[in-house]
Amino acid sequence: MYTKLALLIDGEWIEETNAGSQSVLNPATEQPLGRLPHAGKPELDRALAAASRAFESWKGTSPYERGQIMRRAADLMRERVDHIATVLTLEEGKTFAEAKGEITAAAEFFDWFAEEGRRSYGRVIPARISNMRQTVTQEPVGPVACFTPWNFPAVTPVRKIAPALAAGCTCIIKPSEETPGATLEIARALTDAGLPKGVLNVVFGVPAEVSEYLIRSPIIRKISFTGSTPVGRHLARLAGETLTLATMELGGHAPVIVAKDADIQRAAELSMSIKMRNTGQVCTSPTRFFVERPAYEEYLEYARAFVEKQVVGDGLNPGTTVGPVANERRVEAMDDLISDALSHSARLIAGGERLKGPGLMYSPTILADMPGQAKAMTHEPFGPLALVQPVDDLDQALARANALPYGLAGYAFTSSAAVANRIAEELAVGVIGINQMVVTIPETPFGGIGDSGWGREGGVEGLEAYTVEKYVGHLHL
Ligand code: NAD
């Protein structure tokens, strides 16, 4: 039911190395699913050599042909969605329905970039003299190294692989060692779709060692990382030393402003359902809820009623609406943040504790009257935890929303165009959802500001991130 764990290097699936291996666990049972081989220096050197060699032919392959391979891979992913989603749920914990949604979304990213690669237009710049031709073309930046976390093992890797391949780059990706299978299944779809060997290489190992080795290699011309802010800072420093380009998609602590004129029931139910998506382990997860006082108790009541209907359990059980958290670290973080908030006199509205096993089950939790000094108000919970605070007015809501160094996603509910406009202008984040909470689709740019990182994935910007401009001024003699 699970998958064969391996490295993919230069078209070869490698199931054993001299660098050791690690166990992959199912968070719903805490039982092992399989053993994952690690890449040592010999495997990383092979991957680098393969990415470098394959780049020479891949960059010359037409965007049309590159797109055809990606579209075929997307179709294979849709054909295999039940299997890949099962693998994803087994290793990450999210519900099977969410896992299917993630595979479908990942396939759509391939579709988008397959087409967008064909629109990587250059331009002709009017010259100052008549016999001069001034052109700008987009060239692939070169072999890239990507590092992705465990919370979205399908869509996050594809948000990097798809634009890289569409632009003509080759790629070495190190997905999370905790959730390797879904990314491997996507790599399988690509190789089955005809991707030439060496264009995509998948490695696993000790994260700090693998990333440092790849970033220091002169072969790697760009890195793209999704994960926590501290690790992002570290990798950005390494990339700085070698002047390697970088995209950094880091943590968030998303504010939600609920204006008193909003449809409060809809706001509460929608924001709580998005809060509990992937058990709260999402960088754009709504976390700090600022509700205008006249609507505050009504909002909390609808939120509580919604959260108490959730069924926590194994993501493969059809009735489950909230899966386990993905690893023991999240249980510890939730316990710590909740007990700290309660000690600062937060009001417990729902949940608040780990549930009886098997598995890493945590109750969807709402804390109200959140004191500003509680740790959770500044530390990303990355778990099923909603923090609610009353606010006097929009000024106060915006000031509090913008008080953190993070700036990834932000949300608002209001029926007033004036309030919506002001929030759109003044919320200091990279992406905003107003009266809806979908902020990451293939055709729109996604990314943060401040401690949430830099660079954009998706949209035309997602492709540009893997290209460099070349200017040619040609004087016709
Ligand atoms: P972590 O910082 O240890 O790891 C985050 C990810 O980075 C993991 O996938 C890990 O394998 C990888 N990583 C760690 N060190 C690395 C290195 N030196 N080089 C390359 N990759 C490295 O944290 P964690 O316990 O796995 O997750 C906890 C926190 O990470 C969360 O609270 C959240 O803030 C953040 N996170 C963010 C995202 C996101 O989508 N932005 C995803 C996962 C985790």
Side-chain angles (χ1 to χ4, degrees), residues 149-151 207-208 211 226-228 231 249-250 283 329-330 380 382:
W150 42 263
N151 56 337
S211 56
T226 297
S228 65
V231 175
E249 206 273 271
L250 309 178
C283 51
R329 301 188 298 288
R330 299 322 319 144
E380 186 180 20
F382 227 64

Side-chain angles (χ1 to χ4, degrees), residues 214-383:
L214 293 179
I215 294 170
R216 288 199 191 285
S217 164
I219 290 171
I220 296 301
R221 301 310 312 146
K222 179 195 164 83
I223 62 165
S224 180
F225 172 74
T226 297
S228 65
T229 300
V231 175
R233 256 188 239 291
H234 170 65
L235 299 190
R237 253 184 236 120
L238 289 175
E241 282 172 27
T242 47
L243 292 178
T244 304
L245 291 169
T247 294
M248 290 284 152
E249 206 273 271
L250 309 178
H253 205 299
V256 184
I257 297 176
V258 183
K260 57 181 184 285
D261 61 22
D263 176 338
I264 300 302
Q265 180 174 359
R266 181 175 176 275
E269 290 176 354
L270 181 59
S271 58
M272 286 303 142
S273 84
I274 300 292
K275 170 76 251 179
M276 299 311 160
R277 178 172 160 252
N278 202 21
T279 321
Q281 303 161 119
V282 187
C283 51
T284 56
S285 190
T287 294
R288 290 171 299 144
F289 296 77
F290 302 110
V291 185
E292 280 195 295
R293 271 185 212 284
Y296 188 64
E297 291 301 333
E298 186 189 358
Y299 179 88
L300 285 173
E301 205 33 63
Y302 283 123
R304 182 216 306 267
F306 182 86
V307 157
E308 283 179 348
K309 280 196 300 229
Q310 302 309 305
V311 181
V312 181
D314 187 327
L316 288 180
N317 292 342
T320 298
T321 60
V322 178
V325 291
N327 53 57
E328 193 67 48
R329 301 188 298 288
R330 299 322 319 144
V331 175
E332 287 159 17
M334 288 288 291
D335 281 347
D336 176 44
L337 294 177
I338 292 168
S339 65
D340 173 77
L342 293 175
S343 78
H344 282 96
S345 73
R347 174 160 54 117
L348 184 66
I349 301 292
E353 60 189 0
R354 183 177 179 168
L355 299 171
K356 231 168 93 228
L360 306 173
M361 306 301 167
Y362 214 98
S363 56
T365 301
I366 303 174
L367 294 173
D369 309 350
M370 273 306 287
Q373 68 274 33
K375 204 156 69 170
M377 289 302 280
T378 50
H379 287 60
E380 186 180 20
F382 227 64

